[in-house]
Structure formats: C-alpha cells, structure tokens
Amino acid sequence: LAKTTQPISMDSYEGQEVNITCSHNNIATNDYITWYQQFPSQGPRFIIQGYKTKVTNEVASLFIPADRKSSTLSLPRVSLSDTAVYYCLVGPYRGVNFGNEKLTFGTGTRLTIIP
Amino acid sequence: ETGVTQSPTHLIKTRGQQVTLRCSSQSGHNTVSWYQQALGQGPQFIFQYYREEENGRGNFPPRFSGLQFPNYSSELNVNALELDDSALYLCASSSTTGTGWYFGPGTRLTVL
C-alpha cells in the first residue's frame, strides 16, 4: 500500500478554512484516497473519499490533482468541535473492498482549533 | 440502528495476565476487524474475521487471538500481557456491500 505523509500538527482559528495536504507518491491505479477523523478516546470516523479531481460532501471537500500524488482535505469554516486527528489513507477502498480490505493508518495530522 | 459497541471502556491488568475485550458489530454487519492504537500513533491492524473465520492478520504475535460468533459479535484475547500492550483497542465492523468500516469507541487497556 502507498505510504502517506501528512503534517504532524496544524493550528487554525475558528471560522477559517483549513486545508490539510497528504502526500502519496506511490499511489496505485486502483487506490482511492480516504480521510478519517478521530476525536480523543473515540474510534475513527469516515469523512470523505475520492479518486481524482474534486469531491464534496456536507462535511468537507477533497481535492486531488491529475497526477494523484497528493490530496488536500478542505474543512470550511472550522469550529472548536473540529479539533481532532485527521488521517489520510490510500488503498483499494472502494465498492465491496471498502469493508473488506484492512485500513492502513499513518500518524495523522493533529488539528487544533483556537477560539 | 445501533452502532458498534465495545466493552469494557477501560481495563487495568498486570504483566503476564490475560485479557478479553468484546465488540458488538453494527446491525447487518458480518465482518469485524480489530486495531491497536498506541498513544500518539495511528491504529494498527491486528486481524479480521468474516463469518466466524479469520481472513486477514497483521504483524501481531499469536498471543493475540480472536473469535467471531454467529451473531457477528467478536472477542479479542491477549495472553501473557506485556507493558507495550497498553493501548486503545478498536473494533470496526462492515458489511460486504462496501459501505465502509464503522469503528467502536474502543477499550483503553493499561498494563502495569
């Protein structure tokens, strides 16, 4: 599975847009990019998933350039409740594989929202 | 629809002891995975069960074992506990329809 690199930590103020970039130079053709959020003493929670270009849902946007060697998770107008660790995962997590393949987590990005 | 639940929430054991952690899968899910998360690290895959059979295992020694029951609930057993086994143990369940993994809140194990 492709290795991912993310910043260890980030700080942002409430109300701002936060962008977390993940590098995955060795991404394979059948790999998808999936982001999870984890609050302290809780399990990770799925945020968003994409293959190329842009994906948007009610929580976040995911931007993936044409070469797919990186991706950016964008959180609009963050609040204190967005303080969490965010994980970028790369793997064949799509269709029936998303719930069959093991997930490979890195160390994630610890996002702290400042009032 | 109930989510993934785990018990107990916290547990303290001493070196050499054995521990059993429990997980109830989300309704309709027949696959369960267990992860170990050390402090400050991402979750690491231990093993996965599908229809009561282990069908995937990470880099963990045999003293980590598991069971999945006909109702798809699951257990993680760890024998001969070591200090490094102190971690948050996460259970995740899924279905074969590709709706993704749903994690429980975890069990915090402390080994003294």
Side-chain angles (χ1 to χ4, degrees):
Chain A
L1 290 171
K3 180 178 164 55
T4 60
T5 303
Q6 305 174 233
I8 295 174
S9 64
M10 293 179 66
D11 293 339
S12 181
Y13 289 97
E14 273 191 296
Q16 292 192 328
E17 178 184 78
V18 171
N19 295 309
I20 306 174
T21 297
C22 178
S23 171
H24 29 80
N25 290 318
N26 297 320
I27 189 168
T29 303
N30 62 340
D31 283 345
Y32 283 76
I33 299 149
T34 307
W35 286 79
Y36 276 80
Q37 174 193 55
Q38 186 178 25
F39 299 114
S41 295
Q42 291 188 28
R45 182 177 74 109
F46 172 87
I47 301 176
I48 197 166
Q49 183 181 74
Y51 185 80
K52 61 180 178 180
T53 63
K54 177 184 173 182
V55 180
T56 297
N57 62 20
E58 65 278 5
V59 176
S61 294
L62 179 59
F63 298 91
I64 306 166
D67 67 4
R68 304 201 326 123
K69 293 184 183 300
S70 66
S71 58
T72 299
L73 175 73
S74 181
L75 305 172
R77 296 181 300 281
V78 293
S79 65
L80 295 177
S81 64
D82 292 314
T83 294
V85 178
Y86 292 81
Y87 295 96
C88 165
L89 286 72
V90 172
Y93 309 134
R94 187 63 173 178
V96 295
N97 283 337
F98 195 29
N100 188 31
E101 288 283 337
K102 68 171 185 177
L103 299 175
T104 300
F105 291 84
T107 51
T109 297
R110 184 171 300 276
L111 175 65
T112 302
I113 305 303
I114 304 165
Chain B
E1 181 183 276
T2 57
V4 180
T5 60
Q6 294 186 242
S7 63
T9 307
H10 297 87
L11 201 52
I12 299 175
K13 292 285 189 178
T14 56
R15 271 188 307 175
Q17 285 189 311
Q18 178 266 342
V19 69
T20 297
L21 310 182
R22 294 179 174 84
C23 171
S24 289
S25 299
Q26 183 159 317
S27 176
H29 286 184
N30 56 14
T31 305
V32 66
S33 287
W34 286 88
Y35 289 79
Q36 180 196 65
Q37 186 173 24
L39 203 60
Q41 302 297 314
Q44 299 299 304
F45 175 74
I46 302 175
F47 45 55
Q48 179 172 308
Y49 279 81
Y50 172 65
R51 292 186 175 178
E52 304 174 56
E53 302 249 342
E54 184 183 296
N55 72 341
R57 189 176 184 92
N59 189 26
F60 281 81
R63 60 189 184 84
F64 285 78
S65 63
L67 281 173
Q68 186 183 31
F69 300 101
N71 66 354
Y72 303 130
S73 65
S74 175
E75 284 183 357
L76 164 66
N77 298 289
V78 187
N79 293 322
L81 284 167
E82 301 177 359
L83 296 179
D84 285 349
D85 295 333
S86 294
L88 181 68
Y89 287 85
L90 296 161
C91 166
S93 73
S94 71
S95 71
T96 51
T97 57
T99 54
W101 291 101
Y102 292 79
F103 283 83
T107 293
R108 173 74 60 190
L109 173 65
T110 302
V111 182
L112 303 176

